[in-house]
Amino acid sequence: MRAPHPASSRAGFTLIELLTVIAIIGILAAILVPVVGRVRESARTTQCLSNLRQIQLANIAYASDNRGGYVPSLAIDPENVNRRTFWYQNSTFVSYLAKDRTTSTTNPDKLADSLQCQTARGIGNKLDFTYGINSHDRGGEWVAGLVRQIKVSEILRPSQTMAFADGLDWQLYADGATGYTKDKELLTSSSTHIVAYRHEQRANLVYFDGHTARLPVEAFSNTADGKSAMLWITKK
């Protein structure tokens, strides 16, 4: 008689082996998920910087075609103070930029969705803007006929003066530079003029000469003696 053939293989995993495989998969997932998240955010940061550069290049083109005047941060109708045009609603300025889908039905001339900060959109910003224009020291009364505009000749250090940055408001002032909380993306009464440090506690910005940077809050803050940081516009 032939002896029984010894079993050369098993029918399945033991419980210990199955638990080991599950543990390994869990460890790999714990390692990979944060990495994927960082890669995705890095891509968004890069796109955000590209957006800001495009916006400032459009601003430079606008100034070239309008006697050296950059896009007005604010223009109020001469006959109706409630009829206002902010920089991102200026149809001539927007015409220099890519024309594609926008979610706004009331303001079709606003910046295209592709030119908004996607990190901001991802954490809840539903406004028509995700960037603010540098308006420090350039305020003014909201009166009929007001046009708040910066001239090229007024920017003495274009490579050191900020034009636009991540923001919770359409205009940004130095005195609002430190109040942003990254978990509060929607504009509230207490978030006026505030720079948004969305990208690993830093804010993206573009200078008047068109080059971009990503800087921490210290770069935007007033100095110890109360002077504004160099990147802000001043009248001096």
Side-chain angles (χ1 to χ4, degrees):
M1 296 179 62
R2 180 178 298 176
H5 194 280
S8 59
S9 63
R10 291 176 292 177
F13 293 107
T14 66
L15 178 59
I16 293 177
E17 290 172 330
L18 184 59
L19 292 175
T20 300
V21 171
I22 293 173
I24 292 172
I25 292 174
I27 293 171
L28 291 174
I31 294 172
L32 291 176
V33 169
V35 171
V36 171
R38 286 195 296 271
V39 170
R40 184 181 294 114
E41 176 53 30
S42 177
R44 288 174 176 170
T45 298
T46 300
Q47 182 59 49
C48 178
L49 288 166
S50 175
N51 290 347
L52 285 165
R53 177 171 170 75
Q54 290 181 63
I55 290 169
Q56 179 53 19
L57 290 179
N59 199 21
I60 292 171
Y62 184 98
S64 178
D65 293 340
N66 289 274
R67 299 181 179 180
Y70 290 115
V71 59
S73 59
L74 170 68
I76 300 179
D77 190 283
E79 299 179 358
N80 186 348
V81 71
N82 294 316
R83 196 175 297 149
R84 306 157 184 168
T85 301
F86 304 115
W87 66 269
Y88 62 91
Q89 299 170 322
N90 185 301
S91 58
T92 302
F93 172 67
V94 173
S95 70
Y96 291 99
L97 294 160
K99 291 292 245 182
D100 66 6
R101 187 179 63 83
T102 163
T103 56
S104 176
T105 57
T106 59
N107 181 23
D109 287 327
K110 80 176 186 68
L111 294 182
D113 290 351
S114 62
L115 285 172
Q116 303 288 348
C117 175
Q118 297 308 303
T119 296
R121 293 303 196 210
I123 56 180
N125 183 304
K126 305 299 182 185
L127 301 171
D128 277 354
F129 58 83
T130 56
Y131 302 122
I133 193 169
N134 187 348
S135 296
H136 182 67
D137 216 7
R138 300 302 168 112
E141 297 296 327
W142 287 52
V143 297
L146 171 70
V147 177
R148 192 182 296 164
Q149 186 179 38
I150 301 296
K151 296 286 188 178
V152 172
S153 58
E154 296 179 76
I155 306 301
L156 303 180
R157 300 182 299 273
S159 65
Q160 297 174 294
T161 307
M162 175 181 72
F164 299 90
D166 283 312
L168 290 187
D169 200 353
W170 59 272
Q171 59 178 345
L172 305 174
Y173 294 167
D175 55 7
T178 60
Y180 172 65
T181 303
K182 72 182 183 67
D183 296 325
K184 303 293 184 183
E185 184 63 30
L186 294 179
L187 186 66
T188 67
S189 60
S190 62
S191 58
T192 306
H193 309 151
I194 290 178
V195 175
Y197 305 96
R198 302 181 177 120
H199 305 284
E200 297 181 351
Q201 302 302 310
R202 292 170 177 255
N204 288 339
L205 69 146
V206 62
Y207 293 90
F208 273 95
D209 70 347
H211 85 277
T212 59
R214 184 162 60 101
L215 301 177
V217 61
E218 293 80 11
F220 298 85
S221 303
N222 293 333
T223 60
D225 57 0
K227 293 182 179 179
S228 301
M230 184 175 291
L231 56 79
W232 293 103
I233 294 174
T234 64
K235 293 181 180 178
K236 298 178 181 179

